Amino acid sequence: MTRTTPRYVPKAEFDNLFNTVCNWGRWGPDDERGTLNYVGPEQVRRAAGLVRSGRSVSMAVPINKTAGADNPRPAAHYMVQHFDIRSDLGEPQFSTDYLASEFHGDCLTHIDALCHIAYQGKVYNGKPASSVTSRGPTLQDITAYAHGIVSRGVLLDIPRLRGVKWLEPGEAVTTAELEAAETAQGVRLSEGDVFVFRTGHHRRRLELGPWNNGYDGEGKAGLHVETMLMLHERKVAAFFPDGDGETVPSNVEGVAYPVHALQIAAMGMACADSLQFEELVNVCEAEKRWEFLVMAAPLRLPGGTGSLFNPIAVF
Amino acid sequence: MTRTTPRYVPKAEFDNLFNTVCNWGRWGPDDERGTLNYVGPEQVRRAAGLVRSGRSVSMAVPINKTAGADNPRPAAHYMVQHFDIRSDLGEPQFSTDYLASEFHGDCLTHIDALCHIAYQGKVYNGKPASSVTSRGPTLQDITAYAHGIVSRGVLLDIPRLRGVKWLEPGEAVTTAELEAAETAQGVRLSEGDVFVFRTGHHRRRLELGPWNNGYDGEGKAGLHVETMLMLHERKVAAFFPDGDGETVPSNVEGVAYPVHALQIAAMGMACADSLQFEELVNVCEAEKRWEFLVMAAPLRLPGGTGSLFNPIAVF
Amino acid sequence: MTRTTPRYVPKAEFDNLFNTVCNWGRWGPDDERGTLNYVGPEQVRRAAGLVRSGRSVSMAVPINKTAGADNPRPAAHYMVQHFDIRSDLGEPQFSTDYLASEFHGDCLTHIDALCHIAYQGKVYNGKPASSVTSRGPTLQDITAYAHGIVSRGVLLDIPRLRGVKWLEPGEAVTTAELEAAETAQGVRLSEGDVFVFRTGHHRRRLELGPWNNGYDGEGKAGLHVETMLMLHERKVAAFFPDGDGETVPSNVEGVAYPVHALQIAAMGMACADSLQFEELVNVCEAEKRWEFLVMAAPLRLPGGTGSLFNPIAVF
Amino acid sequence: MTRTTPRYVPKAEFDNLFNTVCNWGRWGPDDERGTLNYVGPEQVRRAAGLVRSGRSVSMAVPINKTAGADNPRPAAHYMVQHFDIRSDLGEPQFSTDYLASEFHGDCLTHIDALCHIAYQGKVYNGKPASSVTSRGPTLQDITAYAHGIVSRGVLLDIPRLRGVKWLEPGEAVTTAELEAAETAQGVRLSEGDVFVFRTGHHRRRLELGPWNNGYDGEGKAGLHVETMLMLHERKVAAFFPDGDGETVPSNVEGVAYPVHALQIAAMGMACADSLQFEELVNVCEAEKRWEFLVMAAPLRLPGGTGSLFNPIAVF
């Protein structure tokens, strides 16, 4: 199947799109939860009602401690103490460790706080970018999600739809294709859902090795910005992609990471980054369903612009 | 109400107890999931069935970046970049951060891997303590819990039972008292449950300030070791305490942290540490129930002896 | 001996002082070495000529890994590997470690880069404060001192002059007192010298324990700002104090750390911080001289706003 | 010039060599300074007497924050605060930073503590390897060098002797070649000297880019183990190489890093690692001399198995 070049979006169209999907003020001037406001009691009950086999599956990439093309500053993980030290008090003995890491790495499964992105001097809800200094954010930090994300997850598996192992860098998934995947899998993204979006990014990584997926590298596959209209209309609460949802290079005139700008700054969407669904798809195929309970909780880190996390799907 | 001194346990009784609750070999010679094996499809469905109001509550203490009596090596959390840097590529701008921390701190909400504890040269399942070196564990690391913990949580709130704000350091909760709490709250710890154990440790911390709760300090309230028999018989899957479940000083002859030795080394129980239930108890009282869905997922960290995490209760 | 309250300096006088001692442009518009320019071949030879007994003495405080009143974010130092791991290749075995630390702590011996301080929007040489972003400084980083500081050190020991163990927090040393110390010790601060300034800060710390010496604490003893005229006229190249040279609280109207502003932003002086001279004074007394070769080299860290270091005196 | 394959050394010869150069007990059973004991007053005065032009030159590689073939776990260096934060107290403003790093990296200029190496279960002076645990060393840590290294440095520049830019990986420098370099440069390694040993390792790195110089990579040039006899007889105090002095692969039967075993475990020599002499050789050529004052001071880190440092040559 030959892929066409993604449609190029002029800046004026992008600005219109930004305004159309913008949720500033929708949940009050000081709201910090954004589209998670779509998750109400009904959504949580619906999600819990999907639990049947009890299988749970991680959607996180194991934390990578080795430098590589997409991991230039790998996490530092060291033992602090192991059983060569007997407690001064006798038994038992303890082993302990230490982890140091950035959050927003290209192969570190993490979730973004809304303060992670500013567009034209403003973060979500129209707050000034100056609310984030070298001391950290004064609003919209990751503790806005402290009580976790619990809702229905809907996987749209684009490589499955296309019959390929993965999308190639630079490819952009359109609204039509998302709808085709919905039809093929018998699901429909609805209010309060966690949109689990698979391009096969991690599958490619496993098979071909890590690659630099930034602007100075080979790029990556993601969503075409037009799909933001669909996510907005469907009232999607959260976005959990492999990759980070962006098509690199961008298809928008003069905007480098347009999906981040729209999802996080305009819509206030809870966006994760660098998940993997290789175990998940096996369970989905085995259970013949592409919806499940998602539960995810970032570390409760005051001032965090995000957090490493381990999101779980329960069937 | 006058508290009696906890009953002192001779070493021989402790050794018997160790053997009685020992699960080595129970789930095969190379099992690494221990008592999480009690959580089967039925347990997960039962837990999901508890979701009614959809409220979710964090049981984590906010990560504490300030040194204190129970936090001598506080987490280091720094901004890496904020909006003073415009992307070389234009909009949007990004803020990012960095976290460095041990896991097993006395006020850091975390979960232990089974390799965290060795007793008399052995870790859970009879494996040698030498399986853990300065390069990390070769077995029973935290990735054994990679797919998360999903089951019913049952809170036993001892200060509520006693009509006090918190238990004082050195107090040990007995089996009789756990059973009394079950009766008072109308719950019963059963196979596969997450035992959420409240001594009021964090409430005391909030009101009186942090204290050194180790052997060189004021100590802390916890479980009497006799309760391990009850947890074993009830087939409890996981233990989520404020504090860490230990009575300090110990009530066992010659064993400094006997609850860790029994729960982790003997039983292979999934044990968390330093949670807080101050938000949880408000919801329990409001909903008039002390059981709920628990979902918890450690970071997917190969070689981890534990992990910071943010466990969530869903009602 | 009763100490008088330090003379209070109105803002206008401070501004005059700033202009008087300002070295902006003195060594060219892009100079980054500031007063180290005073150290020429003659100064280095003079310093080398002081080497007679060959004794060398550290002026660094041992790196403190324990939180305390003046060390709220202690250095994290962990073993990475020790001899429990045999090399895959056989003998020998290796032990290795890891250190994580801020530099500008109140009990961490360090040297400041000139980019460490901005006054009214400008750093040394009139460069804009905006030259330092969250990615680090674009000029005046610590690599300006990459080739080390080698010159004569002259110790002025104020507690010795006064016959006390240490100066009390809040005390400010005047020009007259520095000159009296010169006379008493038979030395004279001259062009290119490293001014080693002892208030007994570390002695007090050793005897009374650490204290919070900031504005929210007990304060500290330092230099009166009037002494900057003397340092400027004498062409002092570097300043190595116990404490950091500041009197806290400040004696200058509306300026919190006036000595930093004058030394670093105005004069471009190489300023260290939190040294200790308890071993040094013993050698000085034994050798009956208060001048010696100083050699000091910050880590060669591109982008550093300073560096931990271990300055050495050679007699 | 065709290089011959280095002579292969049987294990029995290596063991003899170990015993011949072994300094255990030479300076007392609890000595921790090893060959630095060769540096007495005469040596320091001699070194100071070499100071003529006053030029000083760093022998450190700039700290490398980018992962690469010889830097798989790069140093983490972040800004903590910059001038976007006004002091609560007004002027001035401060910028600060944070560094986290291992010490013993292949492109991190550092010095080893004697506790860094164990051979056949023993560290220098015959102390047991068990003196180093996951809590760190109980003896021979880097604070044994707290008061710095001050002595004469003698550069032997092997590429200069050979008329090449650098030695190729796997080449081993013999005693005859060291003596030829002495003759060519008009210097002689003597008691208490710092042996500055240039293979051109860093020059190769600058020109060809970083390479993996370990056993799983391309290897590196170093000393033939026979040269240890010469260093022992000449009473060399310290060893400052580019690379780390080892020929990789090793030329000794069954010993992977034989130079480390001999220098550190047997002789107790102060050994640095991964220096660069590209600036140094320019000054040497300009001054037409290959001896100079060396001053070097590791961080004063209790428990350090080594330290990042910035060694300086003064002419």
Side-chain angles (χ1 to χ4, degrees):
Chain A
M1 180 180 186
T2 306
R3 305 308 308 169
T4 55
T5 302
R7 182 172 65 82
Y8 196 71
V9 174
K11 185 61 161 48
E13 180 182 339
F14 178 80
D15 289 343
N16 276 339
L17 190 52
F18 193 98
N19 291 330
T20 303
V21 302
C22 187
N23 286 322
W24 297 1
R26 183 175 191 142
W27 296 287
D30 294 322
D31 174 66
E32 300 203 339
R33 291 178 49 77
T35 55
L36 285 187
N37 285 294
Y38 290 132
V39 183
E42 188 183 337
Q43 280 73 26
V44 181
R45 281 192 297 267
R46 180 186 60 190
L50 295 170
V51 174
R52 295 197 283 271
S53 67
R55 267 194 260 198
S56 64
V57 185
S58 169
M59 297 183 282
V61 178
I63 291 178
N64 187 340
K65 299 178 259 183
T66 305
D70 60 358
N71 197 24
R73 295 185 296 273
H77 180 220
Y78 299 117
M79 294 298 287
V80 170
Q81 181 182 315
H82 60 92
F83 305 130
D84 65 333
I85 305 287
R86 293 187 77 84
S87 163
D88 301 337
L89 304 159
E91 296 279 7
Q93 294 175 281
F94 296 86
S95 72
T96 65
D97 52 359
Y98 172 89
L99 181 69
S101 184
E102 290 194 43
F103 297 154
H104 296 280
D106 275 345
C107 70
L108 290 169
T109 302
H110 65 276
I111 185 164
D112 296 339
L114 293 180
C115 69
H116 174 53
I117 297 292
Y119 184 72
Q120 296 187 337
K122 294 200 184 302
V123 295
Y124 167 68
N125 231 354
K127 300 293 185 182
S130 60
S131 57
V132 182
T133 70
S134 59
R135 266 190 201 146
T138 55
L139 43 77
Q140 297 178 17
D141 72 12
I142 198 62
T143 63
Y145 304 157
H147 297 293
I149 296 170
V150 185
S151 195
R152 180 172 72 166
V154 173
L155 169 65
L156 299 185
D157 184 348
I158 310 305
R160 182 180 188 274
L161 176 71
R162 294 193 188 179
V164 296
K165 286 170 121 180
W166 54 72
L167 277 58
E168 293 299 338
E171 292 191 319
V173 174
T174 61
T175 303
E177 208 164 19
L178 292 182
E179 289 170 344
E182 287 185 326
T183 302
Q185 299 174 203
V187 290
R188 182 179 168 81
L189 279 174
S190 306
E191 181 168 0
D193 281 347
V194 176
F195 172 21
V196 179
F197 174 60
R198 182 168 184 269
T199 64
H201 183 103
H202 193 70
R203 165 60 46 201
R204 188 176 193 273
R205 194 176 186 277
L206 290 174
E207 297 202 7
L208 303 187
W211 76 97
N212 178 343
N213 54 68
Y215 276 79
D216 55 338
E218 297 174 55
K220 60 191 153 194
L223 289 172
H224 194 277
V225 287
E226 69 174 28
T227 61
M228 295 302 110
L229 281 173
M230 174 182 168
L231 303 190
H232 183 64
E233 283 158 12
R234 299 287 187 86
K235 299 186 177 173
V236 164
F239 179 58
F240 283 25
D242 55 2
D244 64 356
E246 296 284 355
T247 300
V248 170
S250 165
N251 306 121
V252 176
E253 180 189 8
V255 183
Y257 288 95
V259 172
H260 277 72
L262 294 169
Q263 286 184 320
I264 297 179
M267 301 164 81
M269 186 174 288
C271 288
D273 199 322
S274 299
L275 284 70
Q276 61 82 21
F277 309 123
E278 302 316 297
E279 294 148 305
L280 182 73
V281 291
N282 289 337
V283 178
C284 285
E285 298 292 345
E287 301 227 353
K288 290 284 172 276
R289 54 177 173 134
W290 287 265
E291 58 178 11
F292 36 82
L293 169 66
V294 164
M295 40 176 254
L299 297 176
R300 198 167 185 176
L301 177 63
T305 70
S307 176
L308 300 180
F309 79 150
N310 181 2
I312 303 291
V314 190
F315 286 84
Chain B
M1 180 181 186
T2 307
R3 305 307 309 170
T4 55
T5 303
R7 183 173 66 81
Y8 196 71
V9 174
K11 186 60 161 49
E13 180 181 339
F14 178 80
D15 289 343
N16 277 339
L17 189 52
F18 193 99
N19 292 332
T20 303
V21 303
C22 188
N23 286 323
W24 297 2
R26 183 175 193 143
W27 296 287
D30 294 323
D31 174 67
E32 301 203 339
R33 291 179 49 78
T35 55
L36 284 188
N37 285 294
Y38 291 132
V39 183
E42 188 183 339
Q43 281 73 25
V44 181
R45 282 192 295 268
R46 179 185 61 189
L50 294 170
V51 173
R52 294 197 284 270
S53 67
R55 266 193 262 198
S56 65
V57 185
S58 169
M59 297 183 282
V61 178
I63 291 179
N64 186 341
K65 300 178 257 183
T66 306
D70 60 359
N71 196 26
R73 295 183 298 272
H77 179 221
Y78 299 116
M79 293 300 285
V80 170
Q81 180 182 314
H82 60 92
F83 306 129
D84 65 332
I85 305 287
R86 292 187 79 85
S87 163
D88 301 338
L89 304 159
E91 296 280 6
Q93 295 175 280
F94 296 85
S95 71
T96 63
D97 51 359
Y98 173 88
L99 181 69
S101 184
E102 290 193 43
F103 297 155
H104 296 279
D106 276 345
C107 71
L108 290 169
T109 301
H110 65 277
I111 185 163
D112 297 339
L114 293 181
C115 70
H116 174 51
I117 297 292
Y119 184 72
Q120 295 186 339
K122 294 198 183 303
V123 295
Y124 166 68
N125 232 355
K127 301 293 184 184
S130 60
S131 57
V132 183
T133 71
S134 59
R135 266 191 202 145
T138 56
L139 43 77
Q140 296 178 18
D141 72 10
I142 198 63
T143 62
Y145 304 158
H147 297 293
I149 297 171
V150 185
S151 195
R152 180 173 71 165
V154 173
L155 168 66
L156 299 184
D157 183 348
I158 310 305
R160 182 180 188 273
L161 177 73
R162 292 192 188 178
V164 297
K165 287 170 120 178
W166 55 72
L167 277 59
E168 293 298 339
E171 293 192 319
V173 173
T174 61
T175 303
E177 208 163 20
L178 292 182
E179 291 169 343
E182 287 184 326
T183 303
Q185 299 173 201
V187 290
R188 182 177 167 83
L189 279 174
S190 305
E191 182 168 357
D193 280 347
V194 177
F195 171 21
V196 179
F197 174 60
R198 182 168 185 269
T199 64
H201 184 102
H202 194 70
R203 165 59 47 200
R204 189 178 193 270
R205 192 175 187 279
L206 290 175
E207 296 202 6
L208 304 186
W211 76 98
N212 178 342
N213 54 69
Y215 275 78
D216 57 338
E218 296 174 55
K220 60 191 153 194
L223 289 172
H224 195 276
V225 287
E226 70 173 29
T227 61
M228 294 301 110
L229 282 174
M230 174 182 169
L231 303 190
H232 184 63
E233 285 159 10
R234 299 287 188 85
K235 300 186 176 174
V236 165
F239 179 59
F240 282 26
D242 56 2
D244 65 356
E246 297 283 355
T247 301
V248 171
S250 165
N251 305 121
V252 176
E253 181 189 6
V255 183
Y257 289 94
V259 172
H260 278 72
L262 294 169
Q263 287 184 321
I264 296 178
M267 301 165 80
M269 186 174 287
C271 287
D273 199 321
S274 300
L275 285 71
Q276 62 83 20
F277 309 122
E278 301 317 297
E279 293 148 304
L280 182 72
V281 292
N282 288 338
V283 178
C284 286
E285 298 293 344
E287 300 228 352
K288 290 283 171 274
R289 54 177 174 135
W290 288 264
E291 57 179 12
F292 36 81
L293 170 65
V294 164
M295 43 175 253
L299 296 176
R300 198 166 185 177
L301 177 63
T305 71
S307 176
L308 300 181
F309 79 151
N310 181 3
I312 303 289
V314 189
F315 287 85
Chain C
M1 182 182 186
T2 307
R3 306 306 311 169
T4 55
T5 302
R7 182 173 65 82
Y8 196 70
V9 173
K11 187 59 162 48
E13 180 182 340
F14 177 81
D15 289 343
N16 276 338
L17 190 51
F18 193 98
N19 291 332
T20 303
V21 302
C22 189
N23 287 323
W24 297 2
R26 182 174 194 144
W27 296 286
D30 294 322
D31 174 68
E32 299 203 339
R33 291 179 49 78
T35 55
L36 285 188
N37 285 294
Y38 290 132
V39 183
E42 187 183 340
Q43 280 74 27
V44 180
R45 281 192 295 267
R46 180 185 61 190
L50 294 170
V51 174
R52 294 197 284 270
S53 67
R55 266 193 260 198
S56 66
V57 186
S58 168
M59 298 183 282
V61 178
I63 291 177
N64 187 339
K65 299 179 258 184
T66 306
D70 60 359
N71 196 25
R73 296 184 297 273
H77 179 220
Y78 299 116
M79 293 300 285
V80 170
Q81 181 182 315
H82 59 91
F83 305 129
D84 65 333
I85 305 287
R86 292 187 78 85
S87 163
D88 300 338
L89 304 160
E91 296 280 6
Q93 295 175 281
F94 296 86
S95 70
T96 64
D97 50 0
Y98 172 89
L99 181 69
S101 183
E102 291 194 43
F103 297 155
H104 296 280
D106 276 345
C107 71
L108 289 168
T109 301
H110 65 277
I111 184 163
D112 297 339
L114 292 181
C115 70
H116 175 52
I117 296 293
Y119 184 72
Q120 294 187 339
K122 294 198 184 303
V123 295
Y124 167 68
N125 231 356
K127 301 292 185 183
S130 60
S131 57
V132 182
T133 71
S134 60
R135 266 191 202 147
T138 55
L139 43 77
Q140 298 179 16
D141 72 10
I142 199 63
T143 62
Y145 304 158
H147 297 293
I149 297 170
V150 184
S151 196
R152 181 174 70 166
V154 172
L155 169 65
L156 299 185
D157 184 347
I158 310 305
R160 183 179 186 272
L161 176 73
R162 292 192 188 180
V164 298
K165 287 169 118 180
W166 55 72
L167 277 60
E168 292 298 338
E171 293 191 318
V173 174
T174 61
T175 303
E177 209 165 18
L178 292 182
E179 290 170 342
E182 287 185 325
T183 302
Q185 298 174 204
V187 290
R188 181 178 168 82
L189 279 174
S190 305
E191 182 168 357
D193 281 347
V194 176
F195 172 22
V196 179
F197 174 60
R198 183 168 184 269
T199 64
H201 184 104
H202 193 69
R203 165 60 46 200
R204 189 176 193 270
R205 194 175 185 277
L206 290 174
E207 296 202 8
L208 304 186
W211 76 98
N212 178 343
N213 53 69
Y215 275 80
D216 57 337
E218 296 174 56
K220 59 191 154 195
L223 289 173
H224 195 277
V225 287
E226 69 174 28
T227 60
M228 294 301 110
L229 282 174
M230 174 182 168
L231 304 190
H232 183 64
E233 285 158 11
R234 299 287 188 87
K235 301 185 176 173
V236 164
F239 179 58
F240 282 26
D242 55 2
D244 65 355
E246 296 283 355
T247 301
V248 171
S250 164
N251 306 121
V252 175
E253 181 189 7
V255 183
Y257 289 94
V259 171
H260 278 71
L262 295 170
Q263 287 184 319
I264 296 178
M267 302 165 77
M269 186 174 287
C271 289
D273 198 321
S274 300
L275 286 71
Q276 62 83 19
F277 309 123
E278 302 316 297
E279 293 148 304
L280 182 72
V281 291
N282 289 338
V283 178
C284 286
E285 298 292 345
E287 301 227 353
K288 290 285 172 275
R289 53 177 175 135
W290 288 266
E291 56 179 12
F292 37 80
L293 170 65
V294 164
M295 41 175 252
L299 297 176
R300 197 166 185 175
L301 177 63
T305 71
S307 176
L308 301 181
F309 80 150
N310 181 3
I312 302 290
V314 190
F315 287 85
Chain D
M1 181 180 186
T2 306
R3 304 309 308 169
T4 56
T5 302
R7 182 173 65 82
Y8 196 70
V9 174
K11 187 61 161 46
E13 180 182 338
F14 178 81
D15 289 344
N16 276 339
L17 189 52
F18 192 98
N19 291 332
T20 303
V21 303
C22 189
N23 287 322
W24 297 2
R26 182 175 193 143
W27 297 286
D30 294 322
D31 174 66
E32 301 203 338
R33 291 177 50 77
T35 54
L36 284 188
N37 285 294
Y38 290 133
V39 183
E42 189 184 338
Q43 281 73 27
V44 180
R45 280 192 297 268
R46 180 185 60 189
L50 294 170
V51 173
R52 294 197 285 269
S53 67
R55 267 194 261 197
S56 65
V57 185
S58 170
M59 297 182 283
V61 178
I63 291 178
N64 187 340
K65 299 178 259 184
T66 305
D70 60 358
N71 196 26
R73 295 184 297 274
H77 180 220
Y78 299 116
M79 293 299 286
V80 170
Q81 181 182 316
H82 59 93
F83 305 129
D84 65 332
I85 306 287
R86 292 187 77 85
S87 162
D88 301 337
L89 304 159
E91 297 279 6
Q93 294 174 282
F94 296 86
S95 71
T96 64
D97 51 359
Y98 173 88
L99 181 69
S101 184
E102 290 194 44
F103 297 154
H104 297 280
D106 276 345
C107 70
L108 289 168
T109 302
H110 65 277
I111 185 163
D112 297 340
L114 293 180
C115 69
H116 175 51
I117 297 292
Y119 184 72
Q120 294 186 338
K122 294 200 185 301
V123 295
Y124 166 67
N125 232 354
K127 300 294 184 182
S130 59
S131 57
V132 182
T133 71
S134 60
R135 266 190 201 144
T138 56
L139 42 78
Q140 297 177 18
D141 72 10
I142 199 62
T143 62
Y145 304 157
H147 297 293
I149 297 171
V150 184
S151 196
R152 181 174 70 166
V154 173
L155 169 65
L156 298 185
D157 184 348
I158 310 306
R160 183 179 186 274
L161 176 71
R162 294 193 187 177
V164 297
K165 286 170 121 180
W166 54 73
L167 277 60
E168 292 298 339
E171 293 191 318
V173 174
T174 61
T175 303
E177 210 165 19
L178 292 183
E179 289 170 344
E182 286 185 326
T183 301
Q185 300 174 202
V187 290
R188 181 179 167 81
L189 279 173
S190 306
E191 182 168 358
D193 281 346
V194 176
F195 172 21
V196 179
F197 173 61
R198 183 167 184 269
T199 64
H201 183 103
H202 193 70
R203 164 60 47 199
R204 188 177 194 271
R205 193 176 187 278
L206 290 174
E207 296 201 9
L208 303 187
W211 75 97
N212 178 342
N213 53 70
Y215 275 79
D216 57 337
E218 298 174 54
K220 60 191 153 193
L223 289 172
H224 194 278
V225 287
E226 68 174 28
T227 61
M228 294 301 111
L229 282 174
M230 174 181 168
L231 304 190
H232 184 63
E233 285 158 12
R234 300 286 188 88
K235 300 187 176 171
V236 164
F239 178 59
F240 282 26
D242 55 1
D244 66 355
E246 297 283 357
T247 300
V248 171
S250 165
N251 305 120
V252 176
E253 180 189 8
V255 183
Y257 289 94
V259 172
H260 277 72
L262 295 169
Q263 287 185 319
I264 297 178
M267 301 165 80
M269 187 174 287
C271 289
D273 198 322
S274 299
L275 285 71
Q276 63 81 21
F277 309 123
E278 302 317 297
E279 292 147 305
L280 182 72
V281 291
N282 288 338
V283 179
C284 286
E285 299 293 345
E287 302 227 352
K288 291 283 172 273
R289 54 177 175 135
W290 288 264
E291 58 179 11
F292 36 80
L293 170 66
V294 164
M295 38 177 257
L299 296 177
R300 199 167 184 175
L301 176 63
T305 71
S307 176
L308 300 181
F309 80 150
N310 182 2
I312 303 290
V314 190
F315 287 83

